[in-house]
Amino acid sequence: MSSSNEIIRHGFADAIGNTPLIRLNRFSELTGCEILGKAEFMNPGGSVKDRAARAIIEAAERSGRLKPGGTLVEGTAGNTGIGFAHVCNARGYRCVIVMPDNQSNEKYQMIETLGAEVLRVKTVPYSDPNHYQKIAGRLADEIPGAVWGNQFDNTANRDAHEQTTGPEIWQQTGGKIDAFVCATGTGGTLGGISRFLKKQNSNVRVTLADPQGSSLYHWLRNGELKATGPGSITEGIGIGRVTANLEGSPVDDALHITDIECVRTVYQLLRDEGLFLGSTSGVNVAAAVQIAKQLGPGHTIVTILCDNGAKYQSRLFNKKWLAEKGLLDAAGLSQNGQPTLLDVAKNVANVGAFPQRLSA
């Protein structure tokens, strides 16, 4: 029988981590490999970023910089802000979040609902002094008792994954893992997990999955930061610099994943696996499939299922938005003029019953 210590978690922060590995049955069958997704969407705040938020706050507490009643300020595309808002609520801190103005409305609403103060700023390149990350740093300097989370260059982020996520993956696979792949925004997840796995077995192949418009694919392949393709629909990943969390991490290769591949995979995960996930998970699984094809049958590839799809309903799961982006075909929602599942659902909502007849 399990002891109470093994089944009872003491508060929000203690419930973070120890997420399951999910075998992606359809993708595994198609490739002949074991394709496994680390279910980070099952963290209490709904994403992999809960780990970084907890680690950064705990590091600030240990250093004495974050004192009781203090303030945590962070610049984020959303998920880290959600994690910070949860942990701050649990520990009695004020939370101020700075976000670029190009994110899904659901993210702003969720963070505000959690009680954090949200400042939306114009989306500009990192080189601009008014980039959201730099504004967050200046804002923390101006607020008495405030600490800047600095998730991109605060290596407490990377350390959290080296100390928790990496060991969990190793234990859950029994050390039988041939490759690990994931996208990166701050570099914390990829940086920390790669460091742990390579220490266990240097032959584990570590790959960065990079969305279109990011500069890291070209950097890893050619040693130069240069964008590959136009900007992406993905949120929170794909950047134009090497962060402190990513720098020096043992990454073997990179894959370039287009928006078409991302969206196609997101909808395959929904239809074939029953998993309602965001765009980063689409990038990750699309890359895992490519690696499986490269390695051949019989290998085990692990990736990250970052967050659920609820925060992207107005975009990634919105037929009109997908059509504007030219991604309806990738989502499998364009059927040569025939009614789609979304059309049927709309009809049901309007008339209160199924239409008598649909075109064959």
Side-chain angles (χ1 to χ4, degrees), residues 30-274:
L30 287 172
T31 61
C33 288
E34 289 292 292
I35 297 183
L36 310 175
K38 184 76 164 139
E40 290 298 285
F41 62 90
M42 294 178 69
N43 280 305
S47 87
V48 65
K49 295 297 187 179
D50 286 0
R51 295 185 191 253
R54 177 182 64 182
I56 289 170
I57 284 179
E58 289 181 349
E61 290 172 337
R62 288 194 300 270
S63 70
R65 295 183 301 118
L66 185 58
K67 303 181 186 302
T71 301
L72 189 288
V73 182
E74 182 62 310
T76 169
N79 278 329
T80 312
I82 292 168
F84 273 131
H86 276 294
V87 178
C88 284
N89 281 345
R91 299 196 176 183
Y93 301 123
R94 178 187 174 197
C95 186
V96 179
I97 299 298
V98 183
M99 294 179 66
D101 61 5
N102 63 346
Q103 303 301 295
S104 64
N105 285 329
E106 291 91 338
K107 289 182 180 179
Y108 305 115
Q109 292 165 359
M110 185 175 294
I111 295 172
E112 289 170 344
T113 298
L114 291 170
E117 299 172 56
V118 179
L119 174 64
R120 302 190 203 188
V121 299
K122 185 178 179 181
T123 302
V124 296
Y126 183 75
S127 57
D128 192 304
N130 287 320
H131 187 272
Y132 71 97
Q133 295 171 40
K134 296 177 180 178
I135 289 176
R138 295 200 299 270
L139 193 58
D141 288 338
E142 296 172 3
I143 299 174
V147 169
W148 177 30
N150 192 19
Q151 59 171 322
F152 287 80
D153 296 307
N154 185 338
T155 55
N157 176 356
R158 181 185 70 200
D159 295 344
H161 291 285
E162 185 172 359
Q163 294 163 8
T164 67
T165 325
E168 288 170 29
I169 290 171
W170 186 256
Q171 189 214 12
Q172 289 167 326
T173 59
K176 296 177 181 178
I177 172 174
D178 298 294
F180 174 77
V181 59
C182 76
T184 186
T186 66
T189 304
L190 182 65
I193 293 174
S194 67
R195 285 167 184 262
F196 178 84
L197 292 178
K198 286 289 192 180
K199 288 176 183 176
Q200 310 311 306
N201 180 359
S202 61
N203 292 321
V204 174
R205 177 175 171 181
V206 175
T207 302
L208 186 157
D210 216 28
Q212 61 187 52
S214 177
S215 299
L216 296 179
Y217 170 82
H218 196 273
W219 170 68
L220 272 166
R221 287 289 186 93
N222 303 291
E224 175 191 13
L225 285 166
K226 182 180 178 182
T228 303
S232 176
I233 63 160
T234 57
E235 300 180 25
I237 58 172
I239 58 176
R241 69 185 183 97
V242 180
T243 66
N245 283 297
L246 183 60
E247 187 174 14
S249 297
V251 180
D252 299 306
D253 198 7
L255 288 173
H256 173 66
I257 305 298
T258 67
D259 282 348
I260 289 175
E261 293 170 296
C262 165
V263 171
R264 181 188 299 124
T265 306
V266 164
Y267 276 82
Q268 287 174 329
L269 285 162
L270 180 59
R271 296 187 182 110
D272 298 336
E273 307 283 354

Side-chain angles (χ1 to χ4, degrees), residues 48-49 102 156 166 289 312 346 351:
V48 65
K49 295 297 187 179
N102 63 346
V289 169
Y312 310 95
K346 199 174 296 182
V351 303

Side-chain angles (χ1 to χ4, degrees), residues 15 25 32 37 44 107 208 258 269 271 277-278 280 283 297 302 343 356:
N25 292 325
K107 289 182 180 179
L208 186 157
T258 67
L269 285 162
R271 296 187 182 110
L277 303 172
T280 303
V283 169
V302 176
D343 293 327
Q356 291 183 342

